[in-house]
Amino acid sequence: MKNQWILYILVGFMFSSCYKEEDIKGETPEPKYHLEDSDNPLDHYIYEFNKENGNYILYDYTEMDYKWNMSILLDTRLVKQTNREILEKGIPYMREVLFDDYSTDFKRKYFPFKILMADSIYVEKNGIVYGDEAADGGLSFLAIGKIRSGIDTISNDSLLKRKGEVQATFWAYFLYNNEMLKLSNAYWNISNEYYGVNLKMLDNNSKLKPDEVDVKKYGFWDRNRASDSGERYCIAPDKTLDIYQFIQMIVTHTAEEMEKLMAGYDKLKDKYYLLINQLKDVYGVDIQAIGNSKSH
């Protein structure tokens, strides 16, 4: 991560070719962008989306729209999509993978201030740069990537996979990391002693290869593959990745499929029911309904 300290003092006065700032009022922590309606389908949708939900969809932005994250700079780099025809085709894509599954009330309460449209997203994790991510989240933004040529003709299977990645990023790396998603202790206690642990050190796992360790019996869908480091390590997810993996699985599988996948894994099943019930009761979201309506 580069310590570009001078960036910290520049927050608040950014301009783009298609958005103009208004005066900051009251305690608003970020600039608001002035939008004007247009006959152009792209700008018209952005205008109406903001009018209805209060969020800003941006396709022309600077690093300060996503790099700054309170006291740190995120190890994220976005490559903008500049082709307006492709950006227009990105609107129905974003509706499919995220927008249309949530009510206006939910969007107003929980959607990020900025939703950034990107051709490519590069994220550094544990010193490794991961390219072409489907999405990334920060303090006040959610970036949605892979908006490029062919966005309107991808297969149903690929679209479903992207949906899982985008929605998981939204719930884990935006809502949970920003303390907007709070789960009960009952959920966390199930796997509490295993978060971030090298599962190769437990039970009879020492002689197993990482792929042979049955992570489901500890209440996880998969190990933390970003932490893979040879045959001696099988690192359990941290809490953010745990949420990511659950959301990704739920929105890409029906309830019947989930039951089959969880058969024989009580910890996994208990966390599943606690999660879907709390999202329904507290946040008004039937997350499993999204998986039930997936394309086949």
Side-chain angles (χ1 to χ4, degrees), residues 21-215:
E21 288 182 355
E22 296 177 333
D23 292 337
I24 300 175
K25 300 179 180 179
E27 299 179 353
T28 304
E30 301 206 36
K32 288 189 176 181
Y33 303 90
H34 176 69
L35 305 179
E36 294 182 359
D37 201 1
S38 170
D39 292 333
N40 177 272
L42 173 64
D43 293 327
H44 176 69
Y45 180 84
I46 290 172
Y47 176 84
E48 290 294 331
F49 188 90
N50 172 263
K51 184 178 178 181
E52 180 178 357
N53 306 303
N55 321 101
Y56 292 84
I57 299 173
L58 305 177
Y59 55 83
D60 192 7
Y61 43 84
T62 70
E63 284 191 345
M64 284 305 300
D65 282 305
Y66 62 89
K67 278 279 190 183
W68 186 79
N69 209 53
M70 293 299 287
S71 61
I72 64 171
L73 293 179
L74 294 181
D75 290 321
T76 299
R77 181 171 68 87
L78 305 184
V79 177
K80 292 185 289 187
Q81 175 57 255
T82 59
N83 186 305
R84 290 187 62 86
E85 290 185 6
I86 295 176
L87 286 166
E88 287 180 23
K89 293 175 181 178
I91 294 299
Y93 170 77
M94 294 194 301
R95 292 184 61 180
E96 174 63 30
V97 298
L98 184 65
F99 297 166
D100 288 356
D101 289 320
Y102 299 93
S103 68
T104 296
D105 183 61
F106 183 88
K107 291 189 185 85
R108 283 189 169 275
K109 288 181 179 178
Y110 298 109
F111 264 35
F113 180 77
K114 294 171 291 193
I115 299 167
L116 309 179
M117 302 177 71
D119 177 291
S120 305
I121 300 173
Y122 297 90
V123 180
E124 183 176 333
K125 301 175 182 177
N126 297 332
I128 300 173
V129 176
Y130 292 81
D132 216 15
E133 297 290 279
D136 190 33
L139 179 67
S140 63
F141 78 92
L142 178 74
I144 299 179
K146 299 189 178 183
I147 298 176
R148 58 176 70 119
S149 180
I151 191 70
D152 56 331
T153 59
I154 60 177
S155 68
N156 284 340
D157 287 344
S158 294
L159 187 62
L160 183 63
K161 181 176 183 294
R162 303 254 193 104
K163 184 170 190 167
E165 293 167 344
V166 172
Q167 299 230 11
T169 299
F170 167 64
W171 281 97
Y173 289 94
F174 177 70
L175 288 181
Y176 177 71
N177 276 0
N178 287 321
E179 299 184 351
M180 298 171 69
L181 171 64
K182 296 183 182 295
L183 300 179
S184 66
N185 288 334
Y187 176 88
W188 298 119
N189 288 342
I190 293 172
S191 299
N192 193 52
E193 62 184 300
Y194 304 117
Y195 285 113
V197 168
N198 182 8
L199 299 178
K200 285 268 291 175
M201 305 297 292
L202 303 178
D203 302 329
N204 299 314
N205 295 337
S206 60
K207 296 182 180 180
L208 300 178
K209 294 180 179 179
D211 285 339
E212 296 173 335
V213 176
D214 191 357
V215 298

